[in-house]
Amino acid sequence: MNNVIKIAVDAMGGDGSPKKVIDGIIHHYQNNKNSFYKIFGNREEIEILIPKNINKNAFEIIHTTEIVEGTDTPLGAAKRGKNTSMWLAIDSVKNKETDVVISAGNTGALLVIAKLNLKMIDNIDKPALSALWPNKKGMSVVLDLGANIECSEKNLFDFGCMGSSLFKSLFDKDKPRVALLNIGLEENKGNEILKKTFSLFKESNLESFDFKGFIEGNHIMDGNIDVIVTDGFTGNVALKTAEGTANFITGELKKTMTGNLLGKLSTILNFYNLKKFKKRLDPRLYNGAIFIGLDSPVIKSHGGTDYIGFSNSLSVCNKIIKGNLIEKIRNNIN
Amino acid sequence: MNNVIKIAVDAMGGDGSPKKVIDGIIHHYQNNKNSFYKIFGNREEIEILIPKNINKNAFEIIHTTEIVEGTDTPLGAAKRGKNTSMWLAIDSVKNKETDVVISAGNTGALLVIAKLNLKMIDNIDKPALSALWPNKKGMSVVLDLGANIECSEKNLFDFGCMGSSLFKSLFDKDKPRVALLNIGLEENKGNEILKKTFSLFKESNLESFDFKGFIEGNHIMDGNIDVIVTDGFTGNVALKTAEGTANFITGELKKTMTGNLLGKLSTILNFYNLKKFKKRLDPRLYNGAIFIGLDSPVIKSHGGTDYIGFSNSLSVCNKIIKGNLIEKIRNNIN
């Protein structure tokens, strides 16, 4: 049973919880028998959601009625939160009862409570929020996406090391290609911190990844860079702008496709292809931001996703534990 | 003849120039008879591009063989550039021989040469690069898109004033809705400068626009905000990320639509609708960044656009002169 991956799940966060979370767990369990789920939340609400015919040995419920609300400020949640499902879930990973923790709840609270309870990996000054970003050839990792509004060159360099460890643990690639998000490709472009970070990467000449210099926003999705490094402010704006653009275009497309009889007819004819297209862009596929830099991985599922999206975040949990993410970060940093 | 709008055109900048530029001028002239084009560049190359049957009174060619190259550094271009088509075009707007200047050439050089030659509008500390951004309900104006990497609260506030003047001169709206791009909506979100800018807008309580607080990247295209204000670094990343996302999605869609017989068939069936969709997203429609804050407007056409795109930038020139952009900025700022 050594291969079993133990996941601490905050069952009470995000829209439609705990149902969405428990349905996600069941869906995930049916495809990953070597997982164990330690579920934190209201036992009464959770138990009725677990099908009778399922192997109960894979589940443990830790009862609490207290929860972090979506409207809590991060510090407010941290102050009153020691018995919340979120805090207890993080506590279990801290005590090594589980390998990884996941929540679809309040992002700010999750980051603050995780930072309060978990140790930083040696030589890392700031943990970062990273996520998978689809591109023409597959996926990249982008970080930071909002945990650190202002970053030093050391922080950004660390993000590059951590991001390439994450990429390796997810995709089994030897030397990920790392680049810094900037507004031009020349060495003299961008602010002072970006120029210094550029030098830091160049001088370090690390074996563990391949530093490719700067990348501009319009090339993030070309698929030629595996790890895109930026400060949390810029990363958050870029991610949300990409989301908004995708929504806008698919909305316009939908109008085109169903606006009149001819559109509807051709949509029916092209049903199979459009389904593939939709699947390729399905945000549930990329669900699961990874908070890295602490000595245990913390996964944030989108609050608005459904059980399929939550199940995909659980797969991210599995992959990074199997891929020895934390060990890879330690090796990369030292 | 007082209504004639006099446009100084650098004919030698951007890919495929001067042909693209002259074709763009002819296309524009055919739909806007009240324009006069002062064209700067190589007379020999330009003259043969102007159709014989066209009214020559609308065109004047100022001959020069010197040009700013795309590879020139901004300062390099400025130092050696006094006889280049770009410099001479800006000079003509400085000397009030023309109302507005347009180039599809080197952006950095254009900004630097414009700043060297044109006066800043009183009480504006930094000019900004702004552009039209499509949204679900029409268009918004976003600024700064790369002229100023770092901005103070005063700069951002000025951008709000200038952006709303630009929006008014383009779209004839009384009170544009202005918002600051940030990574959350609450007053305590973002960096110190954004928080201070928020207060500055709230305290100013200007009649000329409606300050709506913060906006996140995923809502830029909802169409509820007319003027989106940000520093040049963030704006440039957001714009390019949106471009990259649009390219990615339309590329995936194209694969879907033409990947197999069923796809091709349904595409033919839906030809008319897809054409409308393509037109709605055509970047040539939004071509023409507007450099504002100087006492004459400077328009930057995308270097890679074609004559239709260039012609659309010429329409932007016409609109902002008709809409009294500079006067509106002066009134808004004072």
Side-chain angles (χ1 to χ4, degrees), chain A residues 101-161:
Chain A
V101 54
I102 179 169
S103 173
N106 185 321
T107 310
L110 185 70
L111 302 193
V112 166
I113 296 174
K115 279 201 272 185
L116 274 174
N117 284 286
L118 303 175
K119 281 197 198 105
M120 210 83 86
I121 292 175
D122 280 349
N123 297 326
I124 298 278
D125 297 333
K126 281 182 177 178
L129 200 61
S130 55
L132 294 171
W133 194 307
N135 63 47
K136 288 177 188 163
K137 299 171 186 168
M139 299 261 202
S140 349
V141 156
V142 182
L143 74 170
D144 177 27
L145 293 169
N148 312 285
I149 288 183
E150 275 160 57
C151 296
S152 69
E153 57 270 30
K154 163 76 163 69
N155 299 146
L156 293 174
F157 180 76
D158 290 351
F159 296 170
C161 296

Side-chain angles (χ1 to χ4, degrees), chain A residues 59-302:
Chain A
F59 307 90
E60 183 186 353
I61 300 169
I62 312 297
H63 176 71
T64 179
T65 54
E66 290 183 37
I67 60 171
V68 172
E69 303 284 353
T71 48
D72 283 338
T73 63
L75 287 176
K79 267 186 200 165
R80 69 164 188 77
K82 294 209 173 173
N83 281 315
T84 59
S85 56
M86 187 187 277
W87 187 293
L88 292 172
I90 290 173
D91 223 31
S92 96
V93 81
K94 174 186 174 185
N95 300 331
K96 309 290 173 210
E97 298 156 19
T98 45
D99 303 310
V100 52
V101 54
I102 179 169
S103 173
N106 185 321
T107 310
L110 185 70
L111 302 193
V112 166
I113 296 174
K115 279 201 272 185
L116 274 174
N117 284 286
L118 303 175
K119 281 197 198 105
M120 210 83 86
I121 292 175
D122 280 349
N123 297 326
I124 298 278
D125 297 333
K126 281 182 177 178
L129 200 61
S130 55
L132 294 171
W133 194 307
N135 63 47
K136 288 177 188 163
K137 299 171 186 168
M139 299 261 202
S140 349
V141 156
V142 182
L143 74 170
D144 177 27
L145 293 169
N148 312 285
I149 288 183
E150 275 160 57
C151 296
S152 69
E153 57 270 30
K154 163 76 163 69
N155 299 146
L156 293 174
F157 180 76
D158 290 351
F159 296 170
C161 296
M162 294 198 290
S164 63
S165 305
L166 176 60
F167 193 85
K168 280 187 216 179
S169 72
L170 287 169
F171 300 111
D172 195 31
K173 178 166 185 170
D174 242 20
K175 252 189 142 160
R177 297 156 297 181
V178 176
L180 276 170
L181 188 58
N182 199 352
I183 61 170
L185 298 181
E186 303 81 9
E187 270 189 57
N188 63 348
K189 281 287 164 81
N191 58 32
E192 283 315 303
I193 288 172
L194 279 170
K195 289 176 203 168
K196 283 184 196 163
T197 313
F198 187 100
S199 307
L200 210 55
F201 270 112
K202 274 215 143 173
E203 286 155 17
S204 79
N205 200 14
L206 281 184
E207 283 291 302
S208 50
F209 56 81
D210 191 4
F211 180 61
K212 293 289 194 185
F214 292 132
I215 184 172
E216 292 180 276
N218 47 340
H219 296 297
I220 294 176
M221 295 167 106
D222 289 353
N224 301 323
I225 297 296
D226 304 311
V227 180
I228 291 139
V229 173
T230 183
D231 65 89
F233 186 87
T234 310
N236 193 285
V237 168
L239 180 73
K240 286 179 181 160
T241 303
E243 273 175 27
T245 309
N247 279 341
F248 171 73
I249 296 177
T250 49
E252 293 292 318
L253 182 66
K254 214 170 164 181
K255 275 194 243 166
T256 302
M257 291 305 194
T258 54
N260 56 23
L261 187 65
L262 217 56
K264 278 179 193 144
L265 215 67
S266 82
T267 305
I268 294 165
L269 200 60
N270 206 2
F271 178 73
Y272 175 72
N273 286 331
L274 284 172
K275 218 173 131 184
K276 273 201 303 187
F277 171 69
K278 227 177 135 183
K279 200 174 164 188
R280 178 88 176 91
L281 293 182
D282 188 346
R284 297 178 303 180
L285 275 181
Y286 320 110
N287 186 38
I290 305 125
F291 192 47
I292 44 178
L294 303 168
D295 63 358
S296 296
V298 178
I299 309 297
K300 171 64 179 67
S301 157
H302 202 292

Side-chain angles (χ1 to χ4, degrees), chain A residues 183-184 189-190, chain B residues 107-108 111 115 127-131 142-151 159 230-240 289-291:
Chain A
I183 61 170
K189 281 287 164 81
Chain B
T107 310
L111 302 193
K115 278 201 273 186
L129 200 62
S130 55
V142 182
L143 74 169
D144 177 28
L145 293 170
N148 311 285
I149 289 182
E150 275 161 57
C151 297
F159 296 171
T230 182
D231 65 89
F233 186 87
T234 310
N236 193 285
V237 168
L239 180 72
K240 286 179 179 158
I290 305 125
F291 192 47

